[in-house]
Amino acid sequence: MSLLEIKNLHARIGDTGILHGIDLTIGRGEVHAIMGPNGSGKSTLSYVLSGRDGYEVTEGDILLDGESVLEMEADERARAGMFLAFQYPVELPGVGGMAFLRAAVNARKRDAGKDEVDQLEFVKMVRAEAKNLGIKDDMLKRPVNVGFSGGEKKRYEILQMALLKPSMAILDETDSGLDVDALKIVSEGVNLLRSVERGMLVITHYQRLLNHIVPDQVHILAGGRIVKSGDKTLALEVEENGYSGLGDAA
Amino acid sequence: MQPERLYKTWADRKEAAQSYLESVNWPNGQTEAWKFTSLSHLSDVVLNPPKQSSSIARAARLDGEVLNFTAGLAPHLAAASLPAGIIASDISGDKAICHKAFALLPDNHHLTALSASCQTAAVKIEIAGSAKIDTPLILQFTDGKIDEASHPFIFIDIADGAHLHLAELHEGASSLSQPLILVRLGQGSTLDHIKLQDEANHTTHLGLTLFRLDGQANVNSFSVSKGSQITRMETHCFFAAPDAQAAMSAVYLGCDNQHHDITTVVSHEYADCKSRQLIRGVLDDKARGVFQGRVRVAPDAQKTDGQQMSRALLLSRDAEADAKPELEIFADDVVCSHGATVGELDETLLFYLKSRGIDEAEARTMLIDAFLVDTLEEISYQPFADFLRGQVSGWTARQTGVE
Ligand SMILES: Nc1ncnc2c1ncn2[C@@H]1O[C@H](COP(=O)(O)OP(=O)(O)O)[C@@H](O)[C@H]1O
Ligand SMILES: [Mg+2]
């Protein structure tokens, strides 16, 4: 059974249709990349997969581990293993970082019928993961994302992914806003999380991320449809020729 | 404010109060001061003085020396074992003291008139300057019945250089609860004060607490309004000398069809005083919240620093919040600011939390707590902060259903 199956997915925001029939299957251990011009529907796809309110599926289905998630709320999907690293992580003034991370981890533990994490042990675990990603202790003490730079926010997303250990991770333009060094650190963090158990959908506008996180398959999204799929060389093709022409192939 | 009329005796004052009340009856939204809060429902009920009844013993949830006002009646003070340095006396028989005390309260004011006219208790509490009092003094207001009105008056006189931790806990069940607390802070004295309004859901609470500060005095006050059907909670601060400070913040929590009116009046009469107010409201169901904040800066009150910020969070489409900041500034060298916002829980933030596996109820709780957290940090005395934080988070948990 595939980990994630997207079948003929049509979705709209309000009255506007954005996704017009997407088919995509991701198996455990696979990393797929989605590339596409701005406005092609990449973020919309990530929100529809994670169950954001206001994003309505009008046709098709999304299966996680063979089960449709369409009737599941965002939090249920997350506890079932779905994770979204946001293109634009939001600031949560007044919500302490550690309390937030613990609430997220405990929500999964409770669902799985396991004991909640011990506070001291949790802090140690977070510190260790944070160190790998070059996240300073001071950042962990602040309210979620408040006062973080763009790059720090992206690292914090990957930290959450490392702590939550999702089965299906969606990374929406995790590379945007990162300088070369930060891109390296974040990519290494992501690569550490590649495993035979986990699927990843890496959304990006540029090919350069895919030099670090090498995908098994690359899909080009244009106008709410996948217009071309191939192996990693497709990304290089796009790099050379741009997206023009690909959209018309649909 | 109109100029103070001169009353020779308490009897004069009481008579004037009665004729004032007869002339205005219950405010019904016609007068500016009561624009958002109508008390016309009180004209339909017969309000009786409370009957003496034995209080239901309650486990103290806050450590301290408790004076219990049952149904608005004075406690048996001779039996109270107060720490050295605190002297409490019944002044209901001593009209001269009441008369002097009332001269420190606003005139032509509905709540002071009500109190002068209908007092059910009058107690004076003196705090000696030399005493070192660590135990908080807790004024607890309990019991009372439907059709009863309680009008306790308490005058707290803090001597120069003294310090007091004072808690007002309003947990009664009278139809009308009208506590009037006057606190005079002597020179260089300090006060940590909290007020909790958690009365029965049929109660109309009309509270007034007034601080009158001498030079270098400092009050840190925090109110939480969460009970009653209709609440008007007034907190006044009168700077009677230069170089004093007041922080008087409040949180109101409304559900069902409750009405919470937080009204503050800060009078900067002298130079170099500082006032600071953070007001936060959370309103669910069909609840209504009102914040009226008047800051007056007299012509001589130069170098006044007056800050005021109010924010309301609406959890339901049927909830409503109004804010009316009023700045009357007659001095030119001052720093005064005010602001008021009304908003809802941000769907984007909710989605972010939910996308991490946190369920709707817990996510909402986290965001409501986040909205209130910095305000609660204003409370300087830790046991008071912990107590009120518990009150607030208990309310939030109940509303969101995480319990
Ligand atoms: N909230 C919204 N309401 C209506 N249209 C939207 C909304 N968000 C995005 N869109 C539209 O959907 C399309 C896809 O946007 P998006 O998924 O953000 O693209 P990408 O991530 O590929 O840049 C764009 O045309 C955009 O204008
Ligand atoms: Mg996008």
Side-chain angles (χ1 to χ4, degrees):
Chain A
M1 189 203 309
S2 306
L3 175 61
L4 182 73
E5 261 184 90
I6 304 173
K7 295 196 222 170
N8 189 31
L9 184 68
H10 290 68
R12 65 180 182 203
I13 311 171
D15 292 334
T16 319
I18 311 283
L19 304 181
H20 305 287
I22 291 183
D23 287 284
L24 181 61
T25 301
I26 300 178
R28 290 184 182 273
E30 293 176 9
V31 173
H32 289 229
I34 286 199
M35 298 181 72
N38 280 330
S40 57
K42 303 185 297 296
S43 292
T44 302
L45 176 62
S46 76
Y47 290 144
V48 171
L49 292 175
S50 27
R52 184 168 187 165
D53 283 346
Y55 289 71
E56 194 194 340
V57 173
T58 51
E59 212 183 317
D61 206 349
I62 302 165
L63 308 180
L64 183 66
D65 282 319
E67 302 251 354
S68 173
V69 299
L70 291 190
E71 296 300 315
M72 290 162 77
E73 289 271 309
D75 57 306
E76 291 175 78
R77 294 187 199 191
R79 294 196 299 274
M82 197 87 88
F83 178 86
L84 169 62
F86 282 62
Q87 181 176 2
Y88 303 108
V90 295
E91 301 191 4
L92 297 170
V95 178
M98 275 295 178
F100 160 72
L101 296 174
R102 230 157 74 87
V105 169
N106 279 337
R108 295 197 109 208
K109 296 248 175 201
R110 272 199 304 271
D111 235 34
K114 292 189 197 146
D115 285 346
E116 300 196 347
V117 287
D118 173 76
Q119 185 153 5
L120 280 179
E121 226 160 85
F122 183 70
V123 172
K124 264 191 221 160
M125 193 166 94
V126 173
R127 288 232 175 97
E129 296 286 0
K131 210 172 159 193
N132 287 337
L133 292 163
I135 293 173
K136 288 179 247 85
D137 262 12
D138 159 64
M139 256 174 77
L140 296 173
K141 286 179 192 144
R142 269 186 261 165
V144 179
N145 287 322
V146 175
F148 291 14
S149 71
E152 286 173 333
K153 284 179 183 167
K154 295 303 176 78
R155 290 181 208 200
Y156 200 67
E157 295 291 291
I158 303 307
L159 171 65
Q160 292 171 51
M161 174 166 133
L163 293 169
L164 292 171
K165 303 187 174 53
S167 54
M168 182 63 227
I170 305 156
L171 278 61
D172 190 1
E173 297 207 25
T174 296
D175 51 337
S176 66
L178 295 184
D179 61 27
V180 181
D181 292 335
L183 182 66
K184 246 181 148 169
I185 294 170
V186 166
S187 304
E188 275 165 26
V190 172
N191 284 331
L192 277 175
L193 293 168
R194 283 182 84 147
S195 96
V196 290
E197 289 298 306
R198 183 170 292 131
M200 288 191 190
L201 184 61
V202 179
I203 296 171
T204 183
H205 186 67
Y206 301 106
Q207 186 270 338
R208 67 168 188 170
L209 176 69
L210 304 180
N211 288 334
H212 299 273
I213 305 172
V214 181
D216 299 306
Q217 282 191 49
V218 175
H219 312 275
I220 309 297
L221 190 69
R225 287 186 185 86
I226 289 178
V227 294
K228 199 164 184 186
S229 296
D231 62 10
K232 61 183 179 188
T233 56
L234 179 57
L236 294 167
E237 230 175 87
V238 168
E239 176 79 352
E240 215 151 287
N241 305 325
Y243 290 110
S244 56
L246 287 170
D248 307 335
Chain B
M1 224 184 290
Q2 298 189 8
E4 183 89 5
R5 262 181 281 166
L6 286 175
Y7 307 110
K8 281 206 191 73
T9 63
W10 175 255
D12 289 347
R13 181 181 293 280
K14 189 168 169 175
E15 199 186 301
Q18 273 158 349
S19 60
Y20 174 83
L21 293 174
E22 267 159 37
S23 71
V24 298
N25 204 348
W26 293 104
N28 57 6
Q30 305 288 328
T31 45
E32 190 59 27
W34 295 83
K35 190 173 163 190
F36 298 105
T37 301
S38 166
L39 299 180
S40 53
H41 65 288
L42 291 174
S43 15
D44 303 333
V45 291
V46 183
L47 293 169
N48 303 304
K51 283 188 216 43
Q52 188 69 259
S53 64
S54 60
S55 166
I56 305 154
R58 253 166 253 258
R61 291 167 302 147
L62 184 62
D63 279 340
E65 294 292 338
V66 179
L67 283 181
N68 199 349
F69 292 75
T70 309
L73 299 169
H76 194 314
L77 292 171
S81 64
L82 294 171
I86 300 184
I87 302 160
S89 43
D90 197 315
I91 53 168
S92 55
D94 194 339
K95 294 308 178 198
I97 299 181
C98 285
H99 185 50
K100 268 193 185 156
F102 266 68
L104 305 178
L105 291 165
D107 201 10
N108 287 323
H109 184 281
H110 203 87
L111 302 183
T112 59
L114 255 185
S115 184
S117 160
C118 310
Q119 246 165 45
T120 53
V123 168
K124 181 177 184 187
I125 302 171
E126 286 163 276
I127 313 298
S130 52
K132 210 177 140 7
I133 305 155
D134 295 326
T135 335
L137 176 63
I138 300 172
L139 307 178
Q140 194 171 25
F141 302 83
T142 61
D143 301 275
K145 295 190 179 66
I146 287 180
D147 296 337
E148 284 184 359
S150 82
H151 302 269
F153 167 60
I154 296 140
F155 173 29
I156 299 171
D157 198 358
I158 305 175
D160 293 353
H163 177 70
L164 180 65
H165 305 290
L166 175 69
E168 289 177 51
L169 307 182
H170 300 275
E171 302 167 306
S174 306
S175 276
L176 173 60
S177 166
Q178 198 242 321
L180 175 51
I181 319 285
L182 166 64
V183 187
R184 201 190 67 81
L185 285 93
Q187 195 163 11
S189 67
T190 55
L191 172 67
D192 284 298
H193 168 263
I194 54 168
K195 170 172 176 171
L196 171 68
Q197 186 283 110
D198 191 17
E199 309 227 49
N201 60 14
H202 59 255
T203 297
T204 297
H205 176 96
L206 306 176
L208 167 60
T209 299
L210 186 143
F211 306 107
R212 185 184 172 91
L213 280 73
D214 253 340
Q216 290 97 48
N218 189 335
V219 57
N220 179 283
S221 166
F222 199 97
S223 302
V224 170
S225 181
K226 62 184 247 195
S228 291
Q229 171 62 43
I230 291 175
T231 301
R232 162 79 155 218
M233 197 189 252
E234 294 199 18
T235 311
H236 294 213
C237 174
F238 189 92
F239 290 104
D243 196 23
Q245 287 187 34
M248 26 191 269
S249 295
V251 162
Y252 59 90
L253 307 167
C255 59
D256 303 325
N257 54 355
Q258 283 185 324
H259 179 105
H260 293 270
D261 171 340
I262 306 293
T263 291
T264 65
V265 178
V266 177
S267 305
H268 284 272
E269 302 296 326
Y270 290 87
D272 299 315
C273 292
K274 201 171 163 180
S275 66
R276 176 180 164 81
Q277 304 176 70
L278 297 185
I279 312 295
R280 293 277 191 284
V282 183
L283 297 165
D284 204 351
D285 308 318
K286 294 181 169 170
R288 175 126 192 248
V290 175
F291 170 63
Q292 303 189 108
R294 189 159 86 223
V295 178
R296 185 188 123 85
V297 181
D300 293 337
Q302 301 296 0
K303 307 274 185 212
T304 286
D305 181 347
Q307 311 293 329
Q308 180 190 91
M309 180 70 208
S310 82
R311 291 173 63 194
L313 177 65
L314 307 182
L315 300 181
S316 125
R317 295 205 176 281
D318 297 323
E320 189 186 331
D322 291 291
K324 191 178 80 173
E326 280 177 280
L327 269 61
E328 300 168 357
I329 300 172
F330 301 104
D332 45 25
D333 185 13
V334 299
V335 185
C336 284
S337 74
H338 71 96
T341 66
V342 180
E344 294 168 20
L345 280 184
D346 188 327
E347 284 302 322
T348 313
L349 307 190
L350 263 178
F351 173 60
Y352 190 75
L353 291 171
K354 287 172 77 176
S355 77
R356 269 48 181 150
I358 298 167
D359 67 29
E360 173 94 16
E362 191 178 356
R364 288 170 77 87
T365 306
M366 288 171 82
L367 293 179
I368 297 167
D369 286 348
F371 173 76
L372 297 171
V373 66
D374 60 331
T375 304
L376 287 158
E377 276 164 11
E378 293 285 302
I379 308 170
S380 55
Y381 181 54
Q382 203 52 45
F384 283 178
D386 294 342
F387 173 70
L388 287 184
R389 215 172 274 140
Q391 292 292 320
V392 169
S393 60
W395 183 91
T396 308
R398 203 182 63 223
Q399 281 320 114
T400 56
V402 295
E403 274 174 329

